[in-house]
Amino acid sequence: MALEKQAWEKILRYLRIRDKERTDILDDLLPQDLAEQIYSLPNEEKVEIFGLLNNEEAAIILGEMELEQQAKILSLLSPKVAADILSEMPYDDMTDLLGELKEDLKNKILSYMQSDDAEEVRELLEYPKDSAGGIMTTEFIAFKETLTVKEAIKTLRELAPSAETAYYIYVVDEDEKLVGVVSLRELIIADENQILREIMRTNVVSVQVDTDQEQVAQMVQKYNFLAIPVTDKDNKLLGIITVDDIMDVIEEETTEDIYHLVGTSEVEGTTLVEAKPISIAKTRLPWLIICLLGGLFSGSVISVYEETLNAIVALAFFIPVIMDMGGNVGSQSSTVFVRGVATGEIPANKMFRYFLKEIRVGLIMGLICGLTIALAASLWQGLPILGLVVGISMFCTVTLAATIGTLVPLIFTRFGIDPAVTAGPFVTTIKDVTGLLIYFYIATVFMEYLM
Amino acid sequence: MALEKQAWEKILRYLRIRDKERTDILDDLLPQDLAEQIYSLPNEEKVEIFGLLNNEEAAIILGEMELEQQAKILSLLSPKVAADILSEMPYDDMTDLLGELKEDLKNKILSYMQSDDAEEVRELLEYPKDSAGGIMTTEFIAFKETLTVKEAIKTLRELAPSAETAYYIYVVDEDEKLVGVVSLRELIIADENQILREIMRTNVVSVQVDTDQEQVAQMVQKYNFLAIPVTDKDNKLLGIITVDDIMDVIEEETTEDIYHLVGTSEVEGTTLVEAKPISIAKTRLPWLIICLLGGLFSGSVISVYEETLNAIVALAFFIPVIMDMGGNVGSQSSTVFVRGVATGEIPANKMFRYFLKEIRVGLIMGLICGLTIALAASLWQGLPILGLVVGISMFCTVTLAATIGTLVPLIFTRFGIDPAVTAGPFVTTIKDVTGLLIYFYIATVFMEYLM
């Protein structure tokens, strides 16, 4: 889909000679492809291209870039030009972009904007970024319930709403309260003389303006909506959230969950490729330092059994395999549980039943891994008793790792803490300490046969 | 949103007395909520409810359940009833569901269906499940390019297409080849006497019938479409894929990626909560056995340095922390890289640049973790030289783990292998072996000062 270099040069020549008021370039090319190409150009050429585009085109193309990229380009342009381009964007995108800019640049651009646009944006900027209010747009279609289908279609034709907001017509009463919804499809196929109240669905699913964006995404996914209305606590319609924004939320929230599983987070305000190494290191170090302390604590278990180890040094050869296996089984169990809860595959009322099953899974895996390592250790060191000790330890470690790997995030979930954020370091330390304790305890018990 | 028990009993009473041909129950209740409630009932009650619903309602409610749940319910009903309900579903959902059933039940149900429906489904069943053909529906609106807007709207009103297929009107030439697209919104606001060719967009983004579903999802996400057309290699329009199915694909593919990161996969044909423990264990064991061998290999590194360890047993106390930190840093680096590639945050042409940055990230984290552990080890064992040895080892291990954690999936990606599937065990073993080698090598070099 990406444009080739030659085609791109042709477009540039075309942009230079054409009449800036015509918008036909976007009839032949998709804004997403243009956005990709333009962003990969050197800064001076970026500025040149944006000078050649008219405001509407510039707004559409800008809207297809990552937020950080949009902000970078705006800061290259003059505040006046930036304001003109921004005025052509939908309010939700405009707000997101302004929210990404430095305070003084934001205020300068706002001062160049029309006062009603600026007002609207200032209001939207008040909502937390990850709430329904923070991702909604205030451009939606709302009609009174007494309007006829014919009048509604006529008004729609006059308004010519933008693509992203046109697919549901919301129905409100005299107090602007949301009472129903009619899809564009239902409007088209309805009898022209009916009034909206007769054809609307009254069981409208809506979200409150302060609902968390993750919850909004789950609802849109569950009900397969193209958009969901946002209301205040008196059911007054404030805005809508469209499915394309929901897909971005899902991607963002999933990345956050995956990052949390390995104890890191995204670098704020920039992309991975452009972030400074020190900023990336900062997102990862807190968890690493906790793990470092956990690792030292695990080591202190070994120091308790120094005498045993001193007597049979070969015991040390199996520390890596016991630790690795505990680690792997533990992360499998936590990860599957956390993801299952996130997608709804493990519903709240079945978590405990799933936990009991996970223990049985652990027993099966422990048995097979225990037998394998017992055999391998016996053959390697020529000492069946050592094989027995390592095998029993492996069995206990694997079973326990599966149990703890599920139990810790389960408890966190029960107490309303996001398990993805926090379970990792605890699971690692608990399974290390218990695994090593079991191993050295069993070895000490069998010590006389091992020597 | 879930229904309360009382409300539910009221519905059941209502269903028992009402006229089965009326469909008004879905005017007041959302099918997704009903689906949740019904699935949680005992089997006999499930059958009772489906007996009380008319076929259209049953199809809508069934369509909102997970595929495995749908299959389970169908197998409770008689094949004739199942066929009647299925006939009310869109072809893509019908095909998915039939594909989930046992061969003989599937054929029995197909034999009860109308021959044209059965034919259509048999054709769709031919496409691989995870290809565009496997997830598309053949119900779409396609008009000839010479139709006027007025005629198009009139035909639409007669067809009264279902909600999921109505938002784009595809325009085809005489050979059924896709030549343009008009959104329902554009149709509404267009001049009634224009013909479709005049108002359609000609740069239609479509996918081939054999395109992988993950790629389809990426395109829909990039272009923010509500649906994407599917064509054969001659550009003949075969079907469409709608955004609600794309969201399911994204969830499915993300789960697959996350599972692969920890070396497991989903149990085919059932849900996590219902899968047998032995089936779950089977999905995890292959990777665990590979890791077990890797762990033994790491242990053999220690056995090479048996003499060193014999002389200074305290060295064993730091094996856990070195292994844990290597493991954590390695999974952070792999996970961030794999996710960055999946979301497009790390584009193909910037992978190497990102890899170089990751080395610098590793150096920074290595420095900080190395200094911390050097200090901790010196204080704990009262032996500054031991602190030095552990500190240098930690620095090398962390830096190397970050490097290897990125390099292995980078190489896999370059060779076209999905890094999420395969990188894990390799990264674990390589970082364990190198970490322990470095640690014991440095310890051996400094041995005379340690004793």
Side-chain angles (χ1 to χ4, degrees):
Chain A
M1 280 297 132
L3 300 170
E4 303 204 354
K5 199 161 183 294
Q6 274 192 323
W8 178 243
E9 278 165 5
K10 226 165 103 187
I11 292 163
L12 204 57
R13 273 202 303 280
Y14 164 75
L15 276 174
R16 287 203 179 101
I17 55 162
R18 75 170 180 147
D19 174 1
K20 203 173 160 182
E21 291 317 304
R22 297 180 56 217
T23 63
D24 48 7
I25 184 168
L26 292 180
D27 281 348
D28 299 322
L29 284 164
L30 289 161
Q32 292 85 354
D33 295 327
L34 279 168
E36 264 181 25
Q37 289 288 331
I38 294 175
Y39 195 74
S40 66
L41 296 174
N43 282 349
E44 316 82 68
E45 287 187 39
K46 281 185 197 136
V47 174
E48 185 195 351
I49 297 276
F50 273 90
L52 294 170
L53 295 166
N54 65 39
N55 291 334
E56 195 188 333
E57 292 165 348
I60 292 173
I61 292 169
L62 206 60
E64 294 305 331
M65 296 182 186
E66 297 281 326
L67 212 50
E68 293 85 8
Q69 299 180 338
Q70 297 181 23
K72 209 169 159 189
I73 288 188
L74 270 207
S75 64
L76 297 172
L77 307 174
S78 81
K80 171 83 180 69
V81 172
D84 289 344
I85 294 174
L86 269 173
S87 305
E88 298 288 334
M89 294 178 107
Y91 284 132
D92 55 343
D93 294 351
M94 203 191 292
T95 308
D96 290 347
L97 178 44
L98 281 168
E100 195 71 19
L101 299 177
K102 294 224 171 67
E103 201 63 24
D104 56 333
L105 180 58
K106 181 176 85 185
N107 291 329
K108 221 179 269 169
I109 292 178
L110 276 170
S111 72
Y112 281 107
M113 281 168 63
Q114 288 198 333
S115 60
D116 50 342
D117 279 357
E119 178 100 354
E120 192 79 46
V121 168
R122 272 187 230 272
E123 262 175 45
L124 283 175
L125 277 169
E126 296 293 308
Y127 299 111
K129 270 189 194 176
D130 54 358
S131 70
I135 55 173
M136 74 183 183
T137 176
T138 48
E139 286 140 306
F140 53 83
I141 311 284
F143 290 150
K144 296 270 183 275
E145 45 187 342
T146 49
L147 211 65
T148 64
V149 169
K150 197 175 180 177
E151 288 166 329
I153 293 180
K154 185 162 166 278
T155 317
L156 265 186
R157 289 173 62 102
E158 287 160 9
L159 289 173
S162 75
E164 73 165 3
T165 57
Y167 292 100
Y168 295 114
I169 290 105
Y170 296 97
V171 186
V172 291
D173 65 12
E174 304 92 66
D175 304 324
E176 310 264 299
K177 285 185 185 167
L178 182 63
V179 291
V181 61
V182 178
S183 74
L184 189 53
R185 179 191 76 91
E186 288 162 336
L187 193 71
I188 297 276
I189 64 179
D191 181 336
E192 288 200 331
N193 299 315
Q194 283 186 294
I195 63 169
L196 294 183
R197 191 190 308 158
E198 294 169 312
I199 63 165
M200 73 188 187
R201 294 179 64 99
T202 53
N203 56 341
V204 192
V205 177
S206 62
V207 292
Q208 296 274 315
V209 70
D210 55 358
T211 311
D212 185 80
Q213 63 172 3
E214 191 166 7
Q215 230 176 309
V216 179
Q218 279 165 357
M219 289 178 70
V220 172
Q221 239 178 330
K222 176 177 171 192
Y223 294 112
N224 292 337
F225 292 142
L226 300 178
I228 195 164
V230 182
T231 61
D232 66 11
K233 58 183 189 314
D234 299 322
N235 203 29
K236 209 187 125 195
L237 186 58
L238 299 177
I240 63 168
I241 301 168
T242 51
V243 69
D244 55 312
D245 293 326
I246 290 298
M247 288 211 281
D248 295 340
V249 169
I250 294 173
E251 186 171 295
E252 193 186 314
E253 295 282 341
T254 308
T255 300
E256 207 180 285
D257 281 357
I258 293 179
Y259 274 32
H260 283 161
L261 280 172
V262 293
T264 182
S265 54
E266 290 191 86
V267 181
E268 285 283 323
T270 179
T271 65
L272 256 185
V273 174
E274 284 167 16
K276 294 204 194 90
I278 183 90
S279 316
I280 298 181
K282 265 189 201 158
T283 61
R284 301 188 194 168
L285 275 166
W287 197 62
L288 289 180
I289 298 293
I290 297 176
C291 282
L292 196 142
L293 298 178
L296 278 177
F297 186 54
S298 311
S300 71
V301 169
I302 302 181
S303 78
V304 171
Y305 289 97
E306 187 171 357
E307 263 178 62
T308 310
L309 186 59
N310 225 332
I312 314 127
V313 174
L315 284 175
F317 308 164
F318 298 96
I319 295 176
V321 77
I322 292 204
M323 286 184 54
D324 273 348
M325 293 299 286
N328 290 328
V329 171
S331 23
Q332 283 182 341
S333 299
S334 318
T335 304
V336 170
F337 180 81
V338 169
R339 179 68 185 163
V341 172
T343 60
E345 207 181 333
I346 304 177
N349 60 351
K350 289 190 178 146
M351 280 183 194
F352 191 71
R353 196 177 127 196
Y354 178 77
F355 168 63
L356 295 180
K357 190 205 308 249
E358 187 70 23
I359 297 178
R360 283 182 289 158
V361 174
L363 285 168
I364 296 171
M365 298 191 303
L367 198 67
I368 293 172
C369 293
L371 286 172
T372 311
I373 193 82
L375 192 69
S378 306
L379 292 175
W380 180 20
Q381 295 293 317
L383 203 61
I385 290 289
L386 184 61
L388 187 70
V389 170
V390 178
I392 297 176
S393 308
M394 182 62 75
F395 171 74
C396 299
T397 303
V398 168
T399 309
L400 259 174
T403 309
I404 297 167
T406 312
L407 189 61
V408 173
L410 175 78
I411 293 172
F412 278 36
T413 308
R414 278 274 173 257
F415 283 96
I417 310 168
D418 182 355
V421 187
T422 28
F426 290 92
V427 173
T428 305
T429 304
I430 299 176
K431 65 87 194 157
D432 273 0
V433 171
T434 46
L436 291 170
L437 267 180
I438 293 168
Y439 178 45
F440 279 100
Y441 176 74
I442 296 176
T444 310
V445 169
F446 283 88
M447 191 149 95
E448 53 181 310
Y449 307 104
L450 284 169
M451 302 189 56
Chain B
M1 282 297 133
L3 299 171
E4 301 201 358
K5 197 161 185 297
Q6 274 191 324
W8 178 243
E9 279 166 5
K10 225 165 104 188
I11 291 162
L12 205 57
R13 274 202 303 280
Y14 165 76
L15 276 175
R16 288 202 179 101
I17 57 162
R18 76 169 180 146
D19 174 1
K20 203 172 160 185
E21 292 317 304
R22 295 180 54 216
T23 62
D24 47 7
I25 184 167
L26 293 180
D27 281 349
D28 300 323
L29 285 163
L30 289 162
Q32 292 85 354
D33 294 328
L34 279 168
E36 263 180 25
Q37 289 289 331
I38 294 176
Y39 194 74
S40 67
L41 296 174
N43 282 349
E44 316 82 70
E45 286 188 40
K46 280 185 196 136
V47 175
E48 186 195 351
I49 296 278
F50 274 89
L52 293 170
L53 294 166
N54 66 37
N55 292 335
E56 196 188 334
E57 293 166 347
I60 292 172
I61 292 169
L62 206 60
E64 293 306 331
M65 297 183 186
E66 297 281 326
L67 212 48
E68 292 85 9
Q69 300 180 337
Q70 297 181 24
K72 208 170 160 187
I73 289 188
L74 270 207
S75 64
L76 298 172
L77 306 173
S78 81
K80 170 83 181 70
V81 172
D84 288 345
I85 294 174
L86 270 173
S87 305
E88 299 289 335
M89 294 178 106
Y91 284 133
D92 55 342
D93 294 352
M94 203 191 290
T95 308
D96 289 348
L97 178 44
L98 281 168
E100 196 71 18
L101 299 176
K102 294 223 172 67
E103 200 63 23
D104 56 333
L105 180 59
K106 180 176 86 186
N107 290 329
K108 221 179 270 170
I109 293 178
L110 276 170
S111 72
Y112 280 108
M113 281 168 64
Q114 288 198 328
S115 59
D116 51 340
D117 278 358
E119 179 100 354
E120 192 79 47
V121 168
R122 272 186 230 275
E123 263 176 44
L124 283 175
L125 278 169
E126 295 294 308
Y127 297 111
K129 271 189 192 175
D130 55 359
S131 70
I135 55 173
M136 74 183 183
T137 175
T138 48
E139 287 141 307
F140 53 84
I141 311 285
F143 289 150
K144 297 271 182 273
E145 44 187 341
T146 48
L147 211 65
T148 65
V149 169
K150 197 174 178 178
E151 289 166 329
I153 292 180
K154 186 163 166 276
T155 316
L156 264 186
R157 289 173 63 102
E158 287 161 9
L159 289 173
S162 76
E164 73 165 4
T165 57
Y167 292 100
Y168 295 114
I169 290 106
Y170 296 96
V171 186
V172 292
D173 64 12
E174 304 91 65
D175 303 325
E176 309 263 300
K177 285 186 186 167
L178 181 63
V179 292
V181 60
V182 178
S183 74
L184 190 53
R185 178 191 75 90
E186 288 162 338
L187 193 71
I188 298 276
I189 63 178
D191 181 338
E192 287 200 330
N193 299 313
Q194 282 185 295
I195 62 169
L196 295 184
R197 192 190 308 159
E198 293 170 312
I199 63 165
M200 72 188 186
R201 294 181 63 101
T202 53
N203 55 342
V204 193
V205 176
S206 63
V207 293
Q208 296 274 314
V209 70
D210 56 359
T211 310
D212 185 79
Q213 63 173 3
E214 192 167 7
Q215 231 176 308
V216 179
Q218 279 165 357
M219 288 179 71
V220 171
Q221 240 177 330
K222 176 177 170 190
Y223 294 113
N224 292 337
F225 292 143
L226 299 178
I228 194 165
V230 182
T231 61
D232 66 10
K233 57 184 190 317
D234 300 323
N235 203 30
K236 209 186 125 193
L237 186 58
L238 299 177
I240 64 168
I241 300 169
T242 51
V243 70
D244 55 311
D245 294 325
I246 290 297
M247 289 212 280
D248 295 341
V249 169
I250 294 173
E251 187 172 294
E252 193 186 315
E253 295 281 341
T254 308
T255 300
E256 208 180 285
D257 281 357
I258 293 178
Y259 274 31
H260 284 160
L261 280 172
V262 293
T264 182
S265 54
E266 289 191 85
V267 181
E268 285 283 322
T270 179
T271 65
L272 256 184
V273 174
E274 284 168 18
K276 293 203 194 91
I278 182 89
S279 315
I280 297 181
K282 265 189 200 158
T283 61
R284 302 188 193 169
L285 275 165
W287 196 63
L288 289 180
I289 298 294
I290 297 176
C291 282
L292 195 142
L293 299 177
L296 278 177
F297 186 54
S298 311
S300 70
V301 170
I302 303 181
S303 78
V304 171
Y305 289 97
E306 186 170 358
E307 262 177 63
T308 310
L309 185 59
N310 224 333
I312 314 127
V313 174
L315 283 176
F317 307 165
F318 299 96
I319 294 176
V321 75
I322 292 203
M323 285 184 56
D324 274 347
M325 293 299 286
N328 291 328
V329 172
S331 24
Q332 283 182 341
S333 298
S334 317
T335 303
V336 170
F337 180 81
V338 169
R339 179 69 185 164
V341 172
T343 60
E345 208 181 335
I346 304 176
N349 60 350
K350 288 189 178 146
M351 281 183 192
F352 192 71
R353 197 177 125 195
Y354 177 76
F355 167 63
L356 295 181
K357 189 205 308 251
E358 187 71 24
I359 297 178
R360 283 182 290 159
V361 175
L363 285 169
I364 295 170
M365 298 191 303
L367 199 67
I368 293 172
C369 293
L371 286 173
T372 312
I373 193 81
L375 192 69
S378 306
L379 292 175
W380 181 18
Q381 295 293 317
L383 202 63
I385 289 290
L386 185 61
L388 186 69
V389 169
V390 179
I392 296 174
S393 307
M394 182 62 76
F395 170 73
C396 298
T397 303
V398 168
T399 309
L400 258 174
T403 309
I404 296 167
T406 312
L407 189 62
V408 173
L410 175 77
I411 292 172
F412 279 36
T413 310
R414 277 275 173 255
F415 283 96
I417 309 168
D418 182 355
V421 187
T422 28
F426 290 91
V427 172
T428 305
T429 305
I430 299 176
K431 64 86 194 158
D432 273 1
V433 171
T434 47
L436 291 170
L437 268 180
I438 293 167
Y439 178 46
F440 279 100
Y441 176 75
I442 296 175
T444 310
V445 169
F446 284 87
M447 191 151 96
E448 54 181 310
Y449 308 104
L450 284 169
M451 300 189 57

